[in-house]
Amino acid sequence: MLLGAVIGEIGFNTFDHNFSFSSSEKKGLYCDFEYDLNTILMFDFGCGIKNSLSKVKKNIKSDFEALKIAFTQIISGRAPEQRGNGLKFVLNSVVENQWNMYFQSGDAYCIIDKSGYSFGNAMQNYNGCFCILKRK
């Protein structure tokens, strides 16, 4: 049940925050449950976390800052709706269940495991978001 809620939260973000995909990009979410029985891969080709959050918080300067805000603060790219807890729920669920997750948007990433979480800058930029979730 909890795994479905975590996957759902990440997947729903694809549709909640990506109303206008580039005409040359694929639409929707790619989700692979068959790669490995304990690994779920999710990818979207949307606008990314920074572009989504910049609609309500204009001073976000980088993908790193946006990703950190998305996972640690209550904020929504769909303001004035009272939302914005989804990725905090994901972070807490992954830590509490001792799963591992890599999440990237733009050139920033978040790594979550049983010891907590950390943010960094990736070598390559990825338009949209991708997630690798490993459970035990």
Side-chain angles (χ1 to χ4, degrees):
M1 270 316 235
L2 180 63
L3 179 62
V6 168
I7 293 167
E9 182 57 44
I10 294 168
F12 290 141
N13 280 345
T14 296
F15 299 100
D16 288 346
H17 300 292
N18 293 307
F19 296 112
S20 57
F21 288 89
S22 167
S23 61
S24 63
E25 297 289 354
K26 296 178 183 177
K27 279 108 177 122
L29 172 73
Y30 171 79
C31 190
D32 186 343
F33 295 93
E34 296 181 8
Y35 171 78
D36 171 322
L37 292 177
N38 291 311
T39 304
I40 295 101
L41 307 172
M42 293 173 276
F43 303 82
D44 76 54
F45 302 96
C47 67
I49 301 284
K50 180 179 177 272
N51 287 338
S52 181
L53 292 183
S54 291
K55 294 172 187 169
V56 292
K57 191 167 184 164
K58 306 285 184 207
N59 60 344
I60 296 176
K61 295 175 178 57
S62 66
D63 291 314
F64 180 90
E65 181 182 3
L67 202 59
K68 195 169 184 178
I69 290 168
F71 276 97
T72 63
Q73 295 179 24
I74 297 174
I75 184 171
S76 175
R78 291 183 60 181
E81 294 179 29
Q82 297 298 312
R83 301 170 61 103
N85 284 315
L87 290 178
K88 274 109 354 241
F89 163 76
V90 168
L91 185 148
N92 291 330
S93 298
V94 171
V95 170
E96 288 174 10
N97 288 281
Q98 298 185 0
W99 300 336
N100 296 305
M101 189 173 92
Y102 177 89
F103 187 99
Q104 183 173 338
S105 180
D107 67 358
Y109 64 81
C110 178
I111 295 176
I112 308 170
D113 61 28
K114 65 182 177 186
S115 64
Y117 58 93
S118 62
F119 298 93
N121 288 102
M123 298 293 287
Q124 292 186 312
N125 187 53
Y126 180 79
N127 293 331
C129 300
F130 77 87
C131 176
I132 302 167
L133 176 63
K134 294 182 84 82
R135 63 187 178 129
K136 294 185 177 201

